[in-house]
Amino acid sequence: MNKKGSQNLAVEADSCPLCSENSQLFRIFRKKRYLTCSNCYSVFLHPDHFLTPKEEEDRYLKHNHDVENPDYQNFVLPLVELVTKRFSLTHKGLDFGAGKGPIVSKLLSDKDFSIKQFDLYFWNDHHVLEETYDYIVCSEVIEHFRNPLEEFTKLRKLLKEGGALYCMTSIFDESIDFEKWYYKDDPTHVFFYHTKALEWIRDNFQYKEVQIDKNLISFIT
């Protein structure tokens, strides 16, 4: 991994919140420490810099996610198309981390697909998590996971065999100029996945395959 800018800085002992392997300091940017995993190569924010739950909720409330906005709809349309190509109206879906404006649910519901919502702040009905689903959609969600191991464990249990987990997130790689990378600037974005991390999720949660197409990730059971 590129450690430019981290010379002569002490090594952090924190383990990776995804694969639990050792991590080390990757970068200090605007007084925030970012670590990198020696195994899955992901980059993540040190927990000392996490927002409080109230600060996080306030941040989400400021998001302008109007489900009728055509730009917003076009942004998530590739994710919706992944679902409609593989599944039918008889299948059950979950929009996990649906947010204030559950745009994926709206677009699929418009096509008569059956999909429920869960969100820690806006759709916090834990009965939804007592069911299982043919497909789960996480649109710009997994980068918010403070404990990705716990969250991906939960998602795998919610998914039926033969199902699929679809995620949308910006993937980190060594070619990215981290200091100029816009994706880290949202204070609620705390974990950035390398392709090695996505492969680790595939192998450790018994997915048959992971398909990566730019910012679209498909985990297939």
Side-chain angles (χ1 to χ4, degrees), residues 48-155:
D48 285 350
H49 309 299
F50 288 170
L51 300 180
T52 67
K54 181 63 168 62
E55 290 170 336
E56 189 172 41
E57 182 178 12
D58 287 346
R59 175 75 182 184
Y60 295 145
L61 285 168
K62 293 176 182 176
H63 288 181
N64 184 22
H65 286 172
D66 178 3
V67 296
E68 302 297 338
N69 185 311
D71 291 334
Y72 188 23
Q73 292 184 4
N74 287 334
F75 176 72
V76 302
L77 189 58
L79 201 56
V80 173
E81 290 175 344
L82 286 174
V83 173
T84 57
K85 286 179 181 178
R86 186 179 182 93
F87 296 97
S88 71
L89 304 185
T90 61
H91 292 113
K92 290 171 50 182
L94 175 65
D95 187 350
F96 187 86
K100 182 177 65 171
I103 183 66
V104 174
S105 291
K106 183 262 192 301
L107 295 180
L108 286 172
S109 296
D110 285 351
K111 298 177 182 291
D112 295 323
F113 276 73
S114 174
I115 185 166
K116 294 185 178 181
Q117 299 79 39
F118 179 81
D119 188 277
L120 183 62
Y121 295 112
F122 303 105
W123 306 87
N124 196 356
D125 178 2
H126 284 267
H127 291 98
V128 170
L129 303 183
E130 296 172 1
E131 303 180 36
T132 55
Y133 299 90
D134 299 291
Y135 60 90
I136 301 173
V137 177
C138 294
S139 176
E140 294 286 315
V141 171
I142 64 174
E143 65 277 6
H144 300 272
F145 288 168
R146 299 182 179 193
N147 188 335
L149 178 60
E150 179 181 305
E151 298 294 347
F152 276 99
T153 299
K154 181 189 303 177
L155 290 167

Side-chain angles (χ1 to χ4, degrees), residues 157-187:
K157 290 178 179 178
L158 290 168
L159 196 61
K160 295 179 181 180
E161 290 305 313
L165 168 63
Y166 298 117
C167 304
M168 177 183 282
T169 192
S170 290
I171 298 171
F172 175 79
D173 67 58
E174 292 84 351
S175 69
I176 288 173
D177 185 338
F178 190 75
E179 293 189 2
K180 296 180 180 178
W181 194 34
Y182 78 98
Y183 209 61
K184 70 166 188 330
D185 294 335
D186 186 324

